[in-house]
Amino acid sequence: MYFRSISLTQFRNYHTATLDLSPEGNIFFGTNGQGKTNLLEALHCLCVGRSPRGARDTEIIKQGCDFYRLSGVAFRKSGTRLDIELNFQKPNRKSLKINGQSQKAVSEFIGQLSVVSVSPEDIAITSGSPSYRRRYLDIALSQTHRSYLSALQEYQRILDQRNAILKEIQIKPEKRRTLRDQLLVWDQQFAQAGATVIEHRLNAVDFLSKKAHQMHQYVSADTENLQCRYIPAFSTDTTSLADAFYQTLRKQQEKDEVRGYTTLGPHRDDLRITLNGFDLRTYGSQGQLRTACISLRIAEAEWLAAKAQESPIMLLDEVFAELDLSRTHQLMELFQQYGQVFIATAREADFAKCPSSFQTFYIDQGHIKP
Amino acid sequence: MYFRSISLTQFRNYHTATLDLSPEGNIFFGTNGQGKTNLLEALHCLCVGRSPRGARDTEIIKQGCDFYRLSGVAFRKSGTRLDIELNFQKPNRKSLKINGQSQKAVSEFIGQLSVVSVSPEDIAITSGSPSYRRRYLDIALSQTHRSYLSALQEYQRILDQRNAILKEIQIKPEKRRTLRDQLLVWDQQFAQAGATVIEHRLNAVDFLSKKAHQMHQYVSADTENLQCRYIPAFSTDTTSLADAFYQTLRKQQEKDEVRGYTTLGPHRDDLRITLNGFDLRTYGSQGQLRTACISLRIAEAEWLAAKAQESPIMLLDEVFAELDLSRTHQLMELFQQYGQVFIATAREADFAKCPSSFQTFYIDQGHIKP
């Protein structure tokens, strides 16, 4: 999949802008704060209907305006053309058209156009709390498995219910008996939804870990061994995931009652990452944490490519900033093996030797110069 | 203040290493994961007795060893020589000697040798949750005002007590009356300690905001206006801070009882940062967020210099990574105006034109080559 062109209207710091794009690679040059990342964000919004960083639509509109519009012409590997138009009007009217046809819900669109964003904030995946690693898995899986997204939403819905009941037990111990009966009713469904989420994640990590390992090995010139493991909070050897989850829930119920919330399940699981056998988060250097993030993102791209039968577009924002020249060189080689690539950078010198098929753009205060 | 030399024994990936340092500037070159950041961490530990990132001492020891030792020879501006030795032996024996004399508590040492670390993780100050901004203020103030550190610890101690009582009210509503009486006993002291913390913070922000504004203006070549404001959760116009805090606490008590914790106070306050009038966290680009962090760190260095009558040492870890050439150039100029500077970078090319008084070191797998 690749974009042939995109247009922005009143999006972030752009009044209007239209770009004709190279199907292979596009580089956005510019000093800090000119709007390079905003272009990548626009592409991301066109692919999945919302900002990659969870920005609200009202924050995305250019200051002083009351709507934004994004449009793009994309082509699938098969040659099929897609005309995409995303509109947002204050306070909260959002619409998406594909080939002129209004889409019922923006969320329905997720997974049709796959995208991987590699950004400076990614460092949280390897150095931050488990929530960032869960989010990494959730996004990859949501783009490829609609059943995953449903299970995750169902799980979250029951989790909220379950936590509300636990909270009530804590506050009104006199009602404990009735409330415990309510928990019993929910827990079977809860364990089922949770098991589906975990099963998907185990499969994904199996794939992602292998790929990330390969990528990291390549980028680090064979000096570093990256391993990832997803470990559910209960043993899954002897019984089904749902049964094991249900049994453990029952066992830990008193603990949950004391705490007033659900203390185990996929909403608390972690993806453990090691480098050369040591915990990456504790012992990794900044460059190693960064390299591992990028390896995980490339693995995500491979995952999407394997599921959708075509490469996602890749949005690379200041990817090479903290890396040494050897890693930068290896990565640049790698990225060229994928589909359409977009690179935003404040450092022109790093891309002096980019392929001739790449298009370059100079960004200056929301204006694009060829 | 500057270091003339440092020695590391079984620290991180170093077996043993000794460096003779330039009083002006020292650059650690090396590819990713070789140990550049570990050298900066060693210097930080020697200044304040513990790791800048909150790493545990057992994590800092070289793999397979059971102690680490750091020593350094430093000179004050006045010419006074300081021989510092920090030892840690598993499982938890830590000692610090200054000029051969054992120091009672490592925490007593804080503030004697001031240091400012500028690191990639700093991005959390401008883009992360309020806790990172509070931490930025707390560290600057703890290094300069012992009374601040005491007030903060006292405040935290009472906060924990207060929260325990609120939690108990939530769980045992039948004991509400007695517990409320207990709260009354604590709240006067709580408001007093909180007010001391806030007062210090307001003073510091007054200074830091002005300096950070100047620095940011310089680095951005006069194009960006950075402003910081600390806003307590209650109006302080008509009465003393402690009274205002106490009154607001009393008013919000029911809310606190429902939530089961203290919902206002300096432990929840934020430092609001704007760029050209807009919220930096929401609207700033990566380069702007990064520049603002660095401006805040330089302001912190100015704060320490003003209090201690001499410049702190500055540890700069991959500071320029995401910045354009103009900002990089301006920053390099700025840093040279301060005391001793340490720079770690994977990009030798960026420092091709460093001053001749700077010492350079090449770091390769825990070995230091001249």
Side-chain angles (χ1 to χ4, degrees):
Chain A
M1 210 278 293
Y2 66 91
F3 279 96
R4 187 75 251 189
S5 65
I6 55 160
S7 292
L8 292 71
T9 308
Q10 297 175 178
F11 183 90
R12 294 282 192 186
N13 70 329
Y14 292 90
H15 178 61
T16 56
T18 299
L19 291 81
D20 288 323
L21 300 164
S22 153
E24 298 194 11
N26 300 275
I27 307 191
F28 304 134
F29 291 122
T31 58
N32 297 129
Q34 303 304 311
K36 303 184 296 295
T37 303
N38 299 348
L39 284 177
L40 299 184
E41 188 179 25
L43 286 156
H44 194 284
C45 285
L46 274 174
C47 288
V48 300
R50 52 187 168 75
S51 161
R53 310 185 202 170
R56 275 169 280 168
D57 287 299
T58 48
E59 289 165 8
I60 290 173
I61 297 179
K62 189 172 163 65
Q63 297 292 337
C65 301
D66 60 359
F67 78 94
Y68 76 74
R69 180 180 304 131
L70 294 174
S71 62
V73 178
F75 288 88
R76 292 204 180 279
K77 201 170 137 196
S78 60
T80 315
R81 176 178 163 139
L82 290 169
D83 286 78
I84 311 160
E85 193 184 307
L86 184 68
N87 280 285
F88 178 78
Q89 171 87 40
K90 273 186 185 171
N92 55 14
R93 214 172 66 208
K94 195 164 178 177
S95 66
L96 180 74
K97 282 184 190 169
I98 311 283
N99 296 334
Q101 294 215 302
S102 289
Q103 306 294 299
K104 267 186 195 151
V106 173
S107 66
E108 284 290 302
F109 184 54
I110 292 176
Q112 286 199 45
L113 298 175
S114 59
V115 58
V116 171
S117 286
V118 188
S119 75
E121 296 93 333
D122 279 358
I123 197 77
I125 299 175
T126 48
S127 67
S129 65
S131 62
Y132 292 101
R133 287 179 286 286
R134 290 193 296 267
R135 192 159 178 263
Y136 159 75
L137 290 176
D138 289 346
I139 287 173
L141 276 157
S142 298
Q143 285 202 56
T144 53
H145 291 82
R146 193 154 290 275
S147 61
Y148 179 76
L149 192 56
S150 319
L152 192 65
Q153 285 164 345
E154 171 77 354
Y155 178 79
Q156 186 60 50
R157 192 180 62 82
I158 309 177
L159 176 63
D160 292 343
Q161 294 277 4
R162 196 174 190 279
N163 284 343
I165 299 172
L166 288 166
K167 194 91 206 159
E168 214 177 334
I169 294 182
Q170 207 189 44
I171 303 173
K172 302 175 186 157
E174 69 280 8
K175 283 195 180 180
R176 184 174 291 147
R177 191 181 293 238
T178 329
L179 292 164
R180 278 185 174 170
D181 288 345
Q182 287 183 31
L183 272 190
L184 255 179
V185 176
W186 284 111
D187 279 0
Q188 207 86 41
Q189 285 178 65
F190 185 64
Q192 195 56 57
T196 309
V197 169
I198 293 168
E199 203 154 359
H200 272 109
R201 285 189 185 170
L202 286 167
N203 277 331
V205 170
D206 198 42
F207 180 99
L208 293 167
S209 175
K210 273 186 207 123
K211 287 290 171 187
H213 170 81
Q214 280 170 21
M215 296 305 152
H216 198 100
Q217 198 168 30
Y218 181 75
V219 177
S220 70
D222 281 342
T223 59
E224 293 173 4
N225 171 16
L226 183 77
Q227 297 286 348
C228 309
R229 268 182 79 194
Y230 185 86
I231 303 149
F234 38 82
S235 160
T236 57
D237 296 342
T238 52
T239 173
S240 83
L241 266 174
D243 281 349
F245 189 12
Y246 183 79
Q247 298 305 336
T248 319
L249 266 177
R250 298 266 111 229
K251 258 185 238 157
Q252 303 223 7
Q253 177 161 328
E254 282 201 31
K255 186 173 157 198
D256 286 3
E257 285 178 13
V258 172
R259 300 275 185 94
Y261 56 81
T262 306
T263 56
L264 87 160
H267 67 294
R268 311 258 295 181
D269 286 345
D270 197 0
L271 177 68
R272 288 199 205 147
I273 309 178
T274 57
L275 197 72
N276 299 337
F278 296 111
D279 180 36
L280 176 66
R281 202 173 150 200
T282 311
Y283 294 103
S285 81
Q286 190 70 16
Q288 287 168 334
L289 290 165
R290 176 65 68 192
T291 308
C293 288
I294 300 173
S295 301
L296 286 165
R297 287 292 189 206
I298 302 178
E300 184 185 346
E302 295 257 1
W303 168 262
L304 297 180
K307 301 294 164 184
Q309 308 288 317
E310 62 179 336
S311 290
I313 71 162
M314 295 201 72
L315 310 177
L316 314 177
D317 197 359
E318 294 292 357
V319 170
F320 308 122
E322 294 142 331
L323 301 182
D324 58 56
L325 282 181
S326 152
R327 287 181 192 224
T328 302
H329 180 78
Q330 299 286 81
L331 267 176
M332 196 64 197
E333 295 261 302
L334 262 183
F335 285 130
Q336 284 171 44
Q337 297 167 22
Y338 291 87
Q340 193 179 25
V341 174
F342 293 86
I343 296 170
T345 180
R347 299 179 158 242
E348 208 172 326
D350 289 1
F351 296 89
K353 285 189 285 182
C354 79
S356 61
S357 61
F358 276 38
Q359 180 88 20
T360 55
F361 300 90
Y362 291 84
I363 318 297
D364 184 24
Q365 294 187 43
H367 295 282
I368 297 163
K369 300 168 184 179
Chain B
M1 208 275 295
Y2 66 92
F3 278 97
R4 187 77 249 191
S5 65
I6 55 161
S7 291
L8 292 71
T9 308
Q10 296 175 178
F11 182 89
R12 294 283 192 188
N13 70 329
Y14 292 89
H15 178 60
T16 56
T18 298
L19 290 81
D20 287 323
L21 301 164
S22 153
E24 298 193 13
N26 300 275
I27 306 190
F28 303 136
F29 291 121
T31 58
N32 297 129
Q34 303 305 309
K36 303 183 296 296
T37 303
N38 299 348
L39 283 178
L40 299 185
E41 188 179 22
L43 286 156
H44 195 284
C45 285
L46 273 175
C47 288
V48 301
R50 53 186 167 73
S51 163
R53 312 184 205 173
R56 273 169 283 168
D57 287 300
T58 47
E59 288 165 10
I60 290 174
I61 297 179
K62 190 172 163 63
Q63 298 291 336
C65 300
D66 58 2
F67 79 93
Y68 77 75
R69 179 180 305 131
L70 294 175
S71 61
V73 178
F75 288 88
R76 291 206 181 278
K77 200 169 136 195
S78 60
T80 316
R81 176 178 163 138
L82 290 169
D83 286 81
I84 311 159
E85 193 184 306
L86 183 69
N87 280 285
F88 178 80
Q89 171 88 40
K90 272 185 185 171
N92 55 14
R93 212 172 67 208
K94 194 164 177 176
S95 65
L96 180 75
K97 281 185 190 167
I98 311 282
N99 296 335
Q101 292 216 305
S102 289
Q103 307 294 301
K104 266 186 195 153
V106 173
S107 66
E108 284 291 301
F109 184 53
I110 292 177
Q112 288 199 44
L113 298 176
S114 60
V115 58
V116 172
S117 285
V118 187
S119 76
E121 296 93 333
D122 279 356
I123 196 76
I125 298 175
T126 48
S127 67
S129 64
S131 62
Y132 292 101
R133 287 179 286 286
R134 289 192 297 266
R135 193 158 177 263
Y136 159 75
L137 291 177
D138 290 346
I139 287 174
L141 276 158
S142 298
Q143 286 202 55
T144 53
H145 291 83
R146 194 155 289 276
S147 60
Y148 180 76
L149 192 58
S150 318
L152 191 65
Q153 284 165 344
E154 171 77 354
Y155 178 79
Q156 187 60 49
R157 192 181 63 80
I158 309 177
L159 176 64
D160 292 343
Q161 293 278 4
R162 197 174 191 277
N163 284 342
I165 299 172
L166 288 166
K167 193 93 206 156
E168 213 176 336
I169 294 181
Q170 206 189 45
I171 302 172
K172 302 175 186 157
E174 69 280 7
K175 283 195 181 180
R176 185 173 291 149
R177 191 179 293 238
T178 328
L179 292 165
R180 278 185 173 169
D181 289 345
Q182 288 183 33
L183 274 190
L184 255 179
V185 176
W186 284 111
D187 280 0
Q188 206 86 43
Q189 284 179 65
F190 185 62
Q192 195 55 58
T196 308
V197 169
I198 294 168
E199 203 154 3
H200 271 109
R201 285 189 186 170
L202 286 167
N203 277 333
V205 170
D206 197 42
F207 180 99
L208 294 167
S209 176
K210 272 186 208 123
K211 288 291 174 190
H213 170 81
Q214 282 170 19
M215 296 305 153
H216 198 100
Q217 198 168 29
Y218 181 76
V219 177
S220 71
D222 282 340
T223 60
E224 293 173 4
N225 171 14
L226 183 76
Q227 298 287 346
C228 309
R229 268 182 79 194
Y230 186 84
I231 302 150
F234 38 81
S235 160
T236 56
D237 297 341
T238 52
T239 173
S240 82
L241 266 174
D243 280 349
F245 189 13
Y246 182 77
Q247 297 307 335
T248 319
L249 267 177
R250 296 267 112 228
K251 258 185 237 154
Q252 301 223 6
Q253 176 160 328
E254 282 200 29
K255 186 174 159 199
D256 286 4
E257 285 178 13
V258 172
R259 300 275 185 93
Y261 55 82
T262 306
T263 57
L264 87 162
H267 67 295
R268 310 259 294 180
D269 286 345
D270 197 359
L271 177 67
R272 288 198 205 146
I273 309 178
T274 57
L275 197 71
N276 299 337
F278 296 110
D279 180 37
L280 176 67
R281 200 173 151 200
T282 312
Y283 294 104
S285 82
Q286 190 70 17
Q288 287 167 334
L289 291 165
R290 176 65 68 194
T291 308
C293 289
I294 300 173
S295 302
L296 287 166
R297 287 293 189 205
I298 302 178
E300 184 184 346
E302 295 258 359
W303 168 263
L304 296 180
K307 302 292 164 185
Q309 307 287 317
E310 63 179 334
S311 290
I313 71 162
M314 296 201 72
L315 310 176
L316 314 177
D317 197 358
E318 294 292 358
V319 170
F320 307 122
E322 294 141 332
L323 300 183
D324 57 55
L325 282 181
S326 153
R327 288 182 191 224
T328 302
H329 179 78
Q330 299 287 80
L331 268 176
M332 196 64 199
E333 295 261 301
L334 264 183
F335 285 130
Q336 285 170 44
Q337 297 168 22
Y338 292 87
Q340 193 180 29
V341 175
F342 293 86
I343 297 170
T345 180
R347 298 179 159 243
E348 207 172 326
D350 289 359
F351 297 89
K353 285 188 287 182
C354 79
S356 62
S357 60
F358 276 36
Q359 180 89 18
T360 55
F361 301 89
Y362 291 84
I363 318 297
D364 184 23
Q365 294 187 44
H367 295 281
I368 297 164
K369 299 169 185 178

